[in-house]
Amino acid sequence: MTVVQKYGGSSVATTEKIARIAERVAKRAEKDKVVVVVSAMGDTTDELISMAKSLTKIPDERELDKLLATGEQVSSALMAMALHKLGVKAVSLTGGQAGVITESKAGKARIRKVESKRLKEELAKGNVVIVAGFQGITENSGWAEITTLGRGGSDTTAVALAAALNADACEIYTDVEGVYTADPRVEPAARKMKTISYEEMLELAGQGARVMHSRAVELGQIYGVDILVAHSLKDAPGTLITREDHEMNSQNAEMEIRNPVRGIAHDTDVTRITIVGVPDKPGVAAKLFKALSDAGISVDVIVQNVSVAGKTDLSFTVADEDLEKTKKIIAPIDKDIEAADVITDSVLAKVSVVGSGMKTSPGYASTMFAALAAEGINIYSITTSEIRITCLVERDKIKAAVRALHKAFELEKA
Ligand code: ADP
Ligand code: ASP
Ligand code: MG
């Protein structure tokens, strides 16, 4: 059997921790072919970003990718050494060496394909292959460039490799025991789920449940890779992310009483931008959002007010890390459309209720709003998908909001 395992930053934060994980990998390698994807040690990526930002407010994207990719190269080489010490044959590879080919978008590149020849050869030689997560190389006709996959992207490396190798298992090892009904660090009553569908996990991840990278879930869904999320050191059963029908089969009796709401996600990493006095005519929003999307900036919670005298206010959220870039991109457009003002708010956060059962039954929005109101939490904007409702609330009330919603939807009950 071939297995791809991924170990996150906190699991490989020190050389002692790397040595402990190596022991687990060594044991697994006695019976299986093992590919290990590692994240950078502890807070390395954050530290590298702050070093770059101490030199310049908006670091050059190519150089930033090259810098950040070093984090995972360090941990992968150390992991190989720890395995050698245990007498296990192992080789570490950068993302590029492992054949991870991406589009040429700095900072948030998507994996185009995995050329798995080298990986297969190394496995055939009896090596445990350690791959630096979160990175790839471009496949230009010119020089190959090092790219990174966006924060949390090592999960995506693991799922992509599992798909390319047609692996029998893809295991994401982290510092919690699985996917919970809310972030267990915020809501102690959160319950670990046995299984969750790709669709629901995608919404949770997209709205801030950072236990899984969204793109990893998306790839899992496309290529039919079942993803197990579990604790890196405990032998506890984790959570299986799988197809909805598989999920149902494995739940049997549980199915009938299943709560239509599966989980609560929250995200404090958002800034709201309001453009005041936008002319209410066709093409303005298109121009603005095209420029942002061309720059790889994801925009969420878009709200446009009713227009007064041909002018309207347009607001949307971006990730905090994209704020400076966003301001730079919208400045000339604001000037062009003669917007009256641009206001940025970094005091808000998003809280979302997710569940595929919400598709068919009404009433979830009112329960959500009532639960927030009962805690005195004001709602600034609202967006929905078929299986999600998201509210923008004050950032300092986010924990209270998560707990209130967890309770209102009775998520502590199985
Ligand atoms: P890693 O470094 O292993 O990739 P991350 O920090 O990226 O780990 O993700 C794990 C963290 O995700 C947990 O420590 C937890 O605080 C957070 N988290 C947020 N939402 C959830 C959730 N619904 N279930 C489990 N963990 C969650
Ligand atoms: N090291 C990268 C980050 O901190 C990627 C990852 O950990 O998955 O975002
Ligand atoms: Mg992560």
Side-chain angles (χ1 to χ4, degrees):
M1 147 166 183
T2 303
V3 54
V4 177
Q5 301 191 322
K6 177 256 171 178
Y7 291 93
S10 53
S11 310
V12 294
T14 60
T15 47
E16 289 76 24
K17 287 189 174 174
I18 289 177
R20 275 168 81 187
I21 300 293
E23 279 173 24
R24 288 175 78 92
V25 172
K27 211 158 178 204
R28 189 63 175 265
E30 284 171 11
K31 53 183 175 54
D32 295 323
K33 288 185 177 170
V34 186
V35 173
V36 177
V37 174
V38 283
S39 287
M41 296 169 75
D43 296 328
T44 302
T45 309
D46 288 329
E47 285 156 14
L48 291 170
I49 292 173
S50 56
M51 277 164 82
K53 290 204 166 158
S54 73
L55 293 170
T56 164
K57 210 164 160 190
I58 308 182
D60 179 83
E61 289 179 332
R62 176 195 182 272
E63 302 305 333
L64 190 62
D65 265 359
K66 193 162 160 283
L67 177 72
L68 297 191
T70 62
E72 273 68 12
Q73 293 174 19
V74 170
S75 53
S76 56
L78 291 172
M79 181 66 79
M81 292 173 198
L83 284 163
H84 295 162
K85 172 87 197 304
L86 299 172
V88 177
K89 277 182 77 179
V91 61
S92 73
L93 302 174
T94 65
Q97 288 176 317
V100 179
I101 310 291
T102 75
E103 61 184 358
S104 61
K105 189 179 268 175
K108 266 179 225 158
R110 297 186 348 152
I111 297 177
R112 277 254 170 82
K113 61 177 174 190
V114 177
E115 285 170 355
S116 55
K117 196 162 168 267
R118 170 102 192 245
L119 277 171
K120 285 177 182 156
E121 268 182 26
E122 298 293 357
L123 286 172
K125 280 193 239 163
N127 277 313
V128 171
V129 188
I130 324 289
V131 179
F134 172 62
Q135 59 186 273
I137 50 166
T138 60
E139 180 202 39
N140 296 333
S141 43
W143 303 114
E145 294 287 359
I146 294 175
T147 47
T148 61
L149 311 181
R151 297 305 306 269
S154 296
D155 298 336
T156 300
T157 305
V159 177
L161 296 186
L165 293 170
N166 205 4
D168 303 284
C170 178
E171 303 167 350
I172 305 290
Y173 289 108
T174 182
D175 57 0
V176 286
E177 284 182 29
V179 181
Y180 285 68
T181 47
D183 187 338
R185 299 188 198 284
V186 170
E187 171 52 284
R191 198 172 37 79
K192 183 173 71 184
M193 295 180 243
K194 277 195 197 118
T195 59
I196 182 167
S197 66
Y198 294 118
E199 198 188 16
E200 290 169 320
M201 190 66 234
L202 202 52
E203 290 280 2
L204 286 173
Q207 294 304 320
R210 73 168 195 282
V211 64
M212 277 301 293
H213 194 232
S214 313
R215 182 71 185 145
V217 184
E218 213 174 356
L219 287 183
Q221 186 170 28
I222 294 169
Y223 294 103
V225 177
D226 283 357
I227 306 166
L228 178 77
V229 182
H231 197 282
S232 60
L233 292 171
K234 294 184 196 165
D235 282 318
T239 301
L240 192 71
I241 307 170
T242 185
R243 270 168 43 187
E244 192 167 7
D245 52 346
H246 288 180
E247 201 204 343
M248 296 284 181
N249 290 340
S250 69
Q251 293 207 339
N252 291 327
E254 216 180 298
M255 193 176 110
E256 287 145 51
I257 48 150
R258 208 174 94 165
N259 193 332
V261 172
R262 292 310 298 289
I264 313 290
H266 74 283
D267 192 354
T268 52
D269 175 26
V270 289
T271 295
R272 183 172 65 168
I273 298 176
T274 308
I275 309 181
V276 184
V278 175
D280 193 8
K281 61 178 189 205
V284 174
K287 190 172 178 182
L288 185 73
F289 293 123
K290 169 139 195 335
L292 293 172
S293 106
D294 286 349
I297 296 171
S298 309
V299 173
D300 195 19
V301 199
I302 303 169
V303 178
Q304 181 173 321
N305 288 343
V306 175
S307 72
V308 179
K311 298 261 180 184
T312 183
D313 298 342
L314 182 65
S315 72
F316 55 91
T317 60
V318 295
D320 287 342
E321 59 170 1
D322 288 333
L323 178 60
E324 291 305 324
K325 230 167 110 183
T326 304
K327 280 200 216 154
K328 205 171 148 189
I329 288 164
I330 63 176
I333 300 173
D334 292 339
K335 214 171 154 202
D336 204 30
I337 61 178
E338 294 175 356
D341 200 2
V342 177
I343 304 167
T344 59
D345 271 304
S346 292
V347 292
L348 299 175
K350 286 193 289 190
V351 64
S352 306
V353 171
V354 171
S356 53
M358 287 161 58
K359 256 186 229 176
T360 44
S361 4
Y364 294 97
S366 60
T367 308
M368 180 175 193
F369 305 153
L372 294 174
E375 290 292 312
I377 298 170
N378 196 21
I379 300 169
Y380 288 79
S381 311
I382 302 160
T383 54
T384 61
S385 82
E386 223 183 346
I387 65 164
R388 164 178 63 86
I389 310 167
T390 299
C391 293
L392 271 185
V393 300
E394 277 159 35
R395 201 177 279 187
D396 60 6
K397 299 214 170 112
I398 191 69
K399 289 188 176 173
V402 171
R403 289 189 199 129
L405 295 172
H406 200 268
K407 195 155 179 224
F409 290 104
E410 303 186 325
L411 289 171
E412 70 288 354
K413 295 184 192 162

